[in-house]
Amino acid sequence: MGFARLHRKDRIALVAAGGALAAIAVWVFLAYLEVRLVGDQTLMAEVFSPQADEMWMRLVAVGGVFIGTVTVQQVYRLKLDASARLMIERTRTRELYENSPDRMVSLLPNRRVQFANLRARHAAPVGMDVRGELACHHLLYGRPVPCESCPLNDVIATLGVHESMIEHVASDGTRFWLSRLIYPVCGDDGTVASIVETVRDVTELKAVQEALLESHHQLENRIADRTRELTDANVRLHMDADERERIGRALRESERKYRAIIDDAPDMVLLHDMESVAFINSAGVSMLGAQDSSQAIGLPVRALWEPNGSGLTDEEVARLIAAGTKDRPLSLKLRRFDGTKIDVEVSSTPLLIDGARHVQCVARDITERVRAQETIKRMAYYDPLTGLPNRALFLERLDQAIARAKRTSQPVAVAFLDLDDFKVFNDTLGHGVGDALLKAVAGRLRGLLRDNDTVARQSGDEFTIIAEISEPRDAQRFAERILEGLRPSFVVEGHELHVTASLGLAICPDDGCDDVELLKKADTAMYRSKEWGHNQCSIYCSEMGTAAQERLRLEVELRRAIEHREFAVHYQPQVDVRDGRVVGVEALVRWEHPEQGLVSPDTFLPVAEQAGLITAIGRFVLEEACRKARSWVDEGLEFGKIAVNLSAKEFMQPSLISTISNTLARTGLDAHMLELEITESVAIHGVDHVLPTLQLLRQLGVTIAIDDFGTGYSAMSYLQRFPIQTLKIAQTFMRDVCIDRESAAIACALIELCRVLDLHVIAEGVENLNQVQFLTEHCVHTVQGFAYCRPQTGEALREILRAGAIDIAAVSV
């Protein structure tokens, strides 16, 4: 039985047992060391009868083991609890979609099925593959349907929502009615990633509606017929008494039948004299929640209805009902006797009874239909996690706010907010805690805004806000209030979390009156806040647009450069100052632009990082560096190690180990001659995520160096746990080391830290003899910088390696 298959309590108990065994082993091992060092007792005597000072040291060691065991046990228990909760949430979500009574299908833009729930799969023809090969119409309608008039085209083109009711003919000839809702799901780049189509079979509802309509027409026809009969009867009133009695009996029978027909109708039938209720059938009494018709007779008509969000006033509703609705029923709210309200659809017909004007109303209960429509609307316009408006509803409200701003000349602020380093919470605490944190942030943002403002979830950890302001300068105060409101910590599932955000603002009409343009400019301003650091806000200005365009132009050219292989690798030697020998070489990427010449890495590497192109560039540098190093080895040249930089994004790639292993195998370079340089920012992803990758790299045989040490991640506890061999002191500390006492003190502290941890030290950015002398005095013998050599092409460095040593430059930079 594997460890993973054991019960949770058994696994925790095994961890505890392992700790106890480790403690015993530490006790025996220390006794063994004492015997080997002193040798005046046997091992058993030393184990059971140590000296007092030896016993104290062993108790401290054993206590440390026990404390470590308890800590590991608690961390492992928390991990098991988080995994169990995540599995429960996933199961609930899947059951919700799987057990939906509607057919729900998620489609790729090419109309191939990405996901289909149980009801949708049952509609598919027997034997057909639901995934990939099956078009959406098989799942939703049971057979292929021509796509020329399919609304999916409009949904994809406009990013809008399509809602309709259609009559469909199945492959067996059966006709049925479908109510369908189609809406797009956009990716981070704003393009359609998928389309969600929900289809509900409303054939029975349609049949009931048609039957009720037919019943209504028949009722009207019967009333008309009976009215004509009554008119004819009045003409014959001059007949003899017997004849009049006969006619009277006929009229009473006709009225009885009429009342029976009306009373048995499933809808409310109500007759009023423009002021109060004169008649109501049994269905109407039930809908009102009354005990009998006497409670409703004489009730003021205007006390029954109220508008249902249509924008009509009570006066307009009364006037429309009195005039007759004909073929356009009104959607209203019916006030019941218990104070509750239900949704009804009211049709009215004016009548003349005994010369007095009356109105006959037929009301149908549509509460379930309205509730279903509201549910569908909420699914289409609201984010399911936070309950905030989604992008579609946000753009609608933004259009309305822009229209009001044009009418009233009152500016509107559009904010784009992104949580800083939110990925850390997901990676370290799990997506369950991350989702709970997003809901908490959404709730706090709602509390910070006024009733007429709007906050929406854009995607991931991004939120957008619409706020009406008195004048443009109020936008800065509004942004600061939002950031200040997020400052207090959030307590989520027992974790106290501190959240900061980067916020960008655009103002209508100063920055435009187009919804997409305003959102884009607010996004641009947000990225400027990211560049300035955490917990910052920026208001859009034209210079940002120019910078964004320049960044986009550079990104396009970078993609072309990768395709046309415009990159080259230069090499800068790492020199032992005692004899000038090259003890290492760092590979540095250079962009040989066809028009601009060499482009500085500081210019294009940040853009490549943001655009997701850094992985492709990094693989090119790794391949070229290993190939060139192998050629130097074949020539018998000595250069120590070849160092290659890894960005944080490259390091977190799942395929990193296989990429490096395959590259070494393909180029024939020994793993011990490759050194990978990572920055301190990698440590922010957490020891539990970074440590396994570093251990696998060490198992390959490559060495690990920390580049730009001292300028990044502030918690240096990772130095004790990470399998690091080399630290490179950043150029920032070397620049002023000879003229600034504080810089010198920091450099000395870093050097001493490396010496205590027994790590190899390399000083970067060494540019003059004074810096070399300072490093030599502090026993740092490996340097890299212009004082010895600038980055060289592969051929130029080959000649330097053949010379065997480098003399320090005659001039200081």
Side-chain angles (χ1 to χ4, degrees):
M1 179 188 303
F3 180 76
R5 296 175 60 187
L6 292 177
H7 188 272
R8 173 178 175 275
K9 293 183 178 178
D10 295 336
R11 282 185 274 175
I12 295 176
L14 279 178
V15 173
L21 292 175
I24 294 171
V26 168
W27 183 279
V28 174
F29 177 74
L30 293 176
Y32 172 77
L33 290 179
E34 187 64 28
V35 170
R36 290 295 302 271
L37 293 174
V38 178
D40 60 344
Q41 295 188 61
T42 64
L43 177 61
M44 293 303 293
E46 188 65 34
V47 169
F48 293 102
S49 301
Q51 297 297 325
D53 55 344
E54 298 168 1
M55 178 178 293
W56 173 250
M57 293 176 60
R58 295 180 200 174
L59 288 176
V60 170
V62 170
V65 172
F66 272 112
I67 292 173
T69 301
V70 172
T71 302
V72 171
Q73 189 176 14
Q74 291 300 316
V75 171
Y76 189 70
R77 181 180 63 80
L78 291 175
K79 178 181 178 183
L80 292 177
D81 291 342
S83 299
R85 288 195 298 270
L86 179 60
M87 183 61 69
I88 291 172
E89 290 301 323
R90 287 179 175 173
T91 303
R92 287 177 179 170
T93 302
R94 184 167 186 84
E95 288 178 354
L96 177 64
Y97 285 102
E98 279 294 295
N99 297 324
S100 174
D102 300 332
R103 304 176 192 175
M104 301 181 69
V105 175
S106 177
L107 310 169
L108 296 173
N110 62 2
R111 296 183 179 81
R112 291 297 172 182
V113 174
Q114 186 181 29
F115 168 79
N117 69 349
L118 183 62
R119 184 60 63 91
R121 295 197 299 272
H122 284 170
V126 178
M128 297 196 71
D129 184 10
V130 173
R131 282 195 168 274
E133 297 298 326
L134 190 60
C136 61
H137 301 100
H138 289 92
L139 289 177
L140 298 174
Y141 312 119
R143 67 181 183 87
V145 174
C147 293
E148 290 80 2
S149 60
C150 180
L152 294 178
N153 297 326
D154 292 337
V155 171
I156 295 174
T158 64
L159 299 181
V161 177
H162 176 83
E163 182 178 1
S164 63
M165 182 180 290
I166 60 172
E167 184 180 17
H168 186 67
V169 182
S171 56
D172 59 357
T174 304
R175 292 181 176 272
F176 52 92
W177 285 87
L178 299 176
S179 173
R180 64 182 178 181
L181 175 68
I182 307 173
Y183 60 93
V185 177
C186 297
D188 293 339
D189 58 356
T191 61
V192 176
S194 62
I195 309 105
V196 177
E197 184 166 359
T198 303
V199 173
R200 174 173 292 182
D201 189 344
V202 294
T203 305
E204 294 181 1
L205 177 61
K206 186 69 175 177
V208 171
Q209 291 175 341
E210 292 177 351
L212 290 175
L213 185 60
E214 180 64 22
S215 174
H216 178 70
H217 290 325
Q218 291 177 0
L219 181 61
E220 289 181 339
N221 293 335
R222 291 181 183 179
I223 292 173
D225 292 340
R226 294 298 182 268
T227 303
R228 285 193 295 272
E229 290 178 6
L230 292 173
T231 303
D232 294 338
N234 286 331
V235 175
R236 295 192 294 272
L237 284 176
H238 299 289
M239 300 174 64
D240 55 59
D242 292 339
E243 184 66 17
R244 286 198 300 271
E245 181 63 24
R246 185 185 64 79
I247 292 174
R249 288 195 301 269
L251 287 174
R252 287 191 294 273
E253 181 64 20
S254 177
E255 183 181 358
R256 186 188 65 78
K257 292 179 180 179
Y258 168 76
R259 286 183 176 274
I261 293 171
I262 295 298
D263 209 45
D264 292 339
D267 297 332
M268 170 191 283
V269 179
L270 179 145
L271 188 69
H272 67 83
D273 58 1
M274 312 300 295
E275 294 294 337
S276 59
V277 176
F279 169 81
I280 188 170
N281 67 346
S282 299
V285 172
S286 177
M287 288 175 64
L288 283 173
Q291 295 180 355
D292 52 47
S293 60
S294 62
Q295 285 186 282
I297 300 300
L299 192 70
V301 176
R302 294 192 179 184
L304 295 177
W305 324 110
E306 71 175 40
N308 187 18
S310 59
L312 298 174
T313 64
D314 290 340
E315 294 290 338
E316 291 171 334
V317 169
R319 186 169 62 252
L320 289 173
I321 290 179
T325 58
K326 297 182 180 179
D327 296 330
R328 296 170 57 188
L330 294 176
S331 179
L332 302 172
K333 289 280 190 183
L334 175 67
R335 300 186 183 99
R336 291 166 51 87
F337 275 60
D338 59 3
T340 61
K341 301 172 185 178
I342 62 173
D343 294 285
V344 293
E345 191 175 69
V346 180
S347 301
S348 64
T349 305
L351 297 174
L352 281 177
I353 301 177
D354 296 332
R357 188 177 180 187
H358 288 72
V359 177
Q360 176 186 278
C361 298
V362 178
R364 179 174 303 144
D365 188 348
I366 59 170
T367 303
E368 290 300 324
R369 188 175 76 188
V370 171
R371 188 174 298 141
Q373 290 173 347
E374 290 176 351
T375 300
I376 292 172
K377 182 179 179 180
R378 185 162 191 85
M379 293 172 62
Y381 286 100
Y382 288 87
D383 175 53
L385 176 64
T386 62
L388 296 178
N390 60 12
R391 179 183 174 86
L393 183 55
F394 177 84
L395 291 176
E396 284 188 11
R397 294 186 179 177
L398 181 55
D399 287 335
Q400 297 169 3
I402 292 172
R404 285 195 302 271
K406 291 179 179 178
R407 291 196 308 269
T408 62
S409 299
Q410 182 177 4
V412 173
V414 178
F416 202 109
L417 183 147
D418 181 84
L419 302 183
D420 297 322
D421 297 329
F422 179 75
K423 185 177 183 298
V424 175
F425 297 114
N426 275 339
D427 291 343
T428 57
L429 301 177
H431 289 274
V433 174
D435 289 345
L437 178 59
L438 286 176
K439 289 192 285 187
V441 170
R444 186 172 294 182
L445 288 175
R446 270 194 297 256
L448 293 172
L449 300 179
R450 300 165 298 184
D451 293 338
N452 57 339
D453 296 336
T454 295
V455 57
R457 185 186 180 199
Q458 191 77 355
S459 64
D461 60 339
E462 296 177 337
F463 298 86
T464 49
I465 302 172
I466 305 170
E468 295 182 357
I469 55 178
S470 300
E471 51 188 24
R473 63 183 180 182
D474 291 339
Q476 183 70 28
R477 289 194 292 270
F478 164 76
E480 292 173 353
R481 179 162 58 87
I482 295 297
L483 295 181
E484 185 65 25
L486 293 176
R487 185 181 300 276
S489 62
F490 294 83
V491 178
V492 179
E493 297 186 5
H495 302 280
E496 184 176 3
L497 306 178
H498 294 270
V499 175
T500 61
S502 297
L503 191 144
L505 284 169
I507 301 173
C508 170
D510 294 355
D511 297 323
C513 292
D514 179 76
D515 54 356
V516 176
E517 180 183 6
L518 285 171
L519 202 57
K520 180 180 178 182
K521 289 180 177 179
D523 189 21
T524 301
M526 184 273 291
Y527 274 106
R528 174 59 60 88
S529 298
K530 287 283 188 185
E531 294 174 0
W532 288 348
H534 292 178
N535 202 36
Q536 299 289 331
C537 62
S538 303
I539 299 178
Y540 178 82
C541 61
S542 58
E543 289 79 5
M544 293 182 185
T546 304
Q549 292 175 359
E550 176 63 22
R551 185 168 58 246
L552 180 60
R553 181 194 65 79
L554 191 59
E555 179 181 338
V556 172
E557 292 190 354
L558 273 174
R559 296 183 185 278
R560 176 187 54 78
I562 293 174
E563 181 180 353
H564 295 168
R565 300 181 67 84
E566 295 177 1
F567 293 100
V569 179
H570 287 194
Y571 305 89
Q572 186 173 32
Q574 298 165 352
V575 182
D576 189 326
V577 297
R578 292 171 295 188
D579 54 15
R581 288 185 305 106
V582 176
V583 294
V585 176
E586 181 178 1
L588 303 169
V589 65
R590 295 293 184 265
W591 181 8
E592 297 177 342
H593 196 284
E595 298 175 358
Q596 303 176 16
L598 284 178
V599 180
S600 170
D602 294 337
T603 301
F604 70 84
L605 285 181
V607 177
E609 186 96 20
Q610 294 178 2
L613 303 176
I614 195 67
T615 302
I617 297 175
R619 289 180 178 176
F620 165 78
V621 174
L622 178 66
E623 182 83 20
E624 289 298 312
C626 291
R627 195 180 305 279
K628 182 63 67 175
R630 179 62 192 183
S631 69
W632 294 337
V633 171
D634 292 340
E635 294 182 30
L637 302 176
E638 295 184 1
F639 58 90
K641 298 179 182 292
I642 184 78
V644 178
N645 289 281
L646 284 181
S647 69
K649 286 189 176 180
E650 289 180 273
F651 185 84
M652 298 308 294
Q653 290 293 319
S655 59
L656 174 66
I657 303 301
S658 60
T659 298
I660 294 175
S661 177
N662 294 337
T663 302
L664 291 172
R666 190 164 49 252
T667 59
L669 182 68
D670 289 339
H672 73 275
M673 301 191 70
L674 175 63
E675 183 171 75
L676 298 177
E677 294 186 3
I678 61 176
T679 61
E680 290 181 274
S681 60
V682 169
I684 200 172
H685 294 285
V687 175
D688 293 338
H689 293 78
V690 176
L691 183 58
T693 302
L694 292 176
Q695 290 173 338
L696 290 174
L697 290 173
R698 287 296 295 138
Q699 291 175 9
L700 283 179
V702 303
T703 57
I704 308 297
I706 297 295
D707 194 14
D708 290 335
F709 179 64
T711 62
Y713 189 58
S714 59
M716 296 186 181
S717 59
Y718 67 88
L719 293 176
Q720 294 179 305
R721 302 191 59 184
F722 289 174
I724 301 168
Q725 291 74 50
T726 303
L727 291 182
K728 302 184 71 174
I729 299 179
Q731 183 178 6
T732 304
F733 302 113
M734 297 306 305
R735 184 180 296 114
D736 301 326
V737 74
C738 296
I739 60 176
D740 181 69
R741 184 164 51 186
E742 292 182 355
S743 296
I746 294 174
C748 291
L750 294 177
I751 294 170
E752 182 61 26
L753 175 64
C754 296
R755 182 176 295 112
V756 170
L757 295 176
D758 194 22
L759 298 174
H760 180 56
V761 183
I762 299 177
E764 292 184 293
V766 178
E767 299 181 345
N768 54 60
L769 286 170
N770 292 332
Q771 294 171 337
V772 174
Q773 182 178 358
F774 173 86
L775 293 169
T776 303
E777 291 174 354
H778 291 83
C779 299
V780 177
H781 304 301
T782 306
V783 301
Q784 177 181 341
F786 292 174
Y788 277 88
C789 186
R790 293 176 179 270
Q792 305 287 322
T793 64
E795 293 303 318
L797 187 61
R798 174 185 282 109
E799 298 303 320
I800 293 175
L801 295 177
R802 285 176 178 172
I806 299 178
D807 293 329
I808 191 166
V811 292
S812 298
V813 180

